[in-house]
Amino acid sequence: MTQTTETLCRPPTPVRAMQTDDPVELLRFAVTSFSRGPVAIATLTGIRGGAARALGAHVVIAADGGYAGFVSGGCVEAAVATEAMLAMAEGRDRTVIYGEGSPFFDIVLPCGGGITVAIHVLRDVKAIECVLRCLKARRPAALRYSPQMQALACTPPPERAGWGGEDFLSVYHPVTRLMISGRTIEAQNLMRLAECSGYDVMLLDPQRGIEAFEGMADAYTAIAILQHDPDAELPVLLKALQSPGFYIGALGSMRTHHARVERLRNHGIPEADIARIKAPIGMFGPTRDASSLAISVLADVAAARLTHFA
């Protein structure tokens, strides 16, 4: 049976290749796919009303129709991939609108709003590789997309993703590093839960806990001190307060924390530093089992991260 010209020119059917919204995984997918053929990166550049994703969210699309990432709750990604394959066939960037203000009447966003997605056909992956190097070194970075030049550049990041003049900037921050002090069942449960959530987890050795902070606790680090012994807790806590970590939490009741505060004052720790400690640790409490505590702590860390790095 002879294939028609229309069949031969028809783009592949979009198929989700990865279930992830992790920016690092998406950028790596773009680099890997580019080594095999054309690639497009679709970026959420406009939101009208509500939206399931933040500005700067990506979908990466390979020429074979495989795609990864999200610019919505999952309702437009296949349509975005189809548009991206058409853009790759033409060799030109394009912008599409979904939901409110869109010409696609068959696509209605559940949130009732609308989104704008810019689709860029990659000419090279140098800018993406630059961002990946920065993130590996635990430095923030940004991709500057110029619709006029149809090009990407790796730049220092602004405070948040958005339009800067005629260019759109997507912002990337290093993954959260969670340093856990304590050889308790609470520490073990928190470690497992954090690893499943994609955090960079370090369970501190009780004999070398202080040394581990040197060069490891940065601005993207959360420190959870889950010690039942105040004497074992104190040196780790003093070192944690010298770090730039965005979250420091300590186990114990309000009564335990009052005693902790007095010990820190006796060591000359300023009130502003003492106020950095979240105690009792966690988002909700009191908890009476290790699993609930782990959920409470991880939720608190995630909320603090959003506050610091929106």
Side-chain angles (χ1 to χ4, degrees):
M1 185 174 183
T2 304
Q3 290 182 306
T4 66
T5 302
E6 181 182 355
T7 302
L8 291 171
C9 295
R10 186 180 301 160
T13 301
V15 177
R16 182 167 289 281
M18 296 173 62
Q19 283 281 2
T20 183
D21 59 2
D22 183 332
V24 172
E25 291 186 12
L26 295 175
L27 295 180
R28 286 176 178 163
F29 178 67
V31 172
T32 301
S33 299
F34 189 78
S35 67
R36 299 192 294 263
V39 172
I41 181 166
T43 304
L44 179 60
T45 59
I47 296 173
R48 296 171 299 285
R53 302 286 164 175
L55 287 175
H58 295 308
V59 174
V60 177
I61 309 96
D64 63 2
Y67 68 93
F70 295 87
V71 290
S72 75
C75 48
V76 305
E77 280 69 16
V80 169
T82 298
E83 290 285 338
M85 286 185 285
L86 294 173
M88 284 186 275
E90 293 177 358
R92 293 179 56 83
D93 294 3
R94 59 174 59 188
T95 298
V96 291
I97 297 173
Y98 298 101
E100 181 184 309
S102 169
F104 302 105
F105 296 106
D106 58 331
I107 299 179
V108 178
L109 301 184
C111 59
I115 60 174
T116 301
V117 179
I119 298 173
H120 171 58
V121 179
L122 291 177
R123 276 70 180 180
D124 61 64
V125 291
K126 292 179 182 177
I128 294 176
E129 289 174 334
C130 172
V131 170
L132 288 172
R133 287 194 298 270
C134 288
L135 294 177
K136 185 176 181 179
R138 296 191 62 78
R139 298 194 306 271
L143 279 177
R144 179 183 292 275
Y145 170 60
S146 170
Q148 182 177 4
M149 301 297 295
Q150 299 195 18
L152 290 177
C154 178
T155 68
E159 186 174 342
R160 56 179 55 87
W163 288 95
E166 296 182 349
D167 297 341
F168 185 87
L169 289 99
S170 299
V171 178
Y172 310 90
H173 294 286
V175 67
T176 299
R177 173 171 287 162
L178 179 60
M179 302 179 78
I180 305 170
S181 174
R183 290 292 180 177
T184 61
I185 184 175
E186 294 90 352
Q188 294 292 332
N189 278 28
L190 177 58
M191 179 183 69
R192 287 193 291 268
L193 185 61
E195 287 175 340
C196 290
S197 300
Y199 286 36
D200 176 18
V201 184
M202 294 180 60
L203 185 60
L204 303 181
D205 187 308
Q207 304 302 320
R208 302 179 66 250
I210 297 178
E211 297 175 22
F213 280 90
E214 300 298 335
M216 298 301 292
D218 56 23
Y220 298 93
T221 298
I223 303 160
I225 303 175
L226 305 180
Q227 300 276 1
H228 291 290
D229 181 355
D231 293 332
E233 172 194 276
L234 184 59
V236 179
L237 186 55
L238 291 172
K239 198 68 176 180
L241 291 172
Q242 296 175 18
S243 78
F246 71 89
Y247 179 93
I248 301 172
L251 190 65
S253 64
M254 290 301 300
R255 181 177 179 179
T256 298
H257 187 56
H258 288 320
R260 175 186 293 123
V261 168
E262 287 304 313
R263 286 197 303 274
L264 293 172
R265 286 172 177 162
N266 291 336
H267 277 78
I269 304 300
E271 294 296 326
D273 287 344
I274 294 175
R276 293 176 62 197
I277 305 169
K278 177 64 181 294
I281 194 171
M283 179 168 282
F284 56 85
T287 58
R288 292 290 184 264
D289 63 273
S291 295
S292 296
L293 180 67
I295 295 169
S296 178
V297 172
L298 202 63
D300 209 20
V301 169
R305 164 88 188 215
L306 287 174
T307 300
H308 281 76
F309 311 105

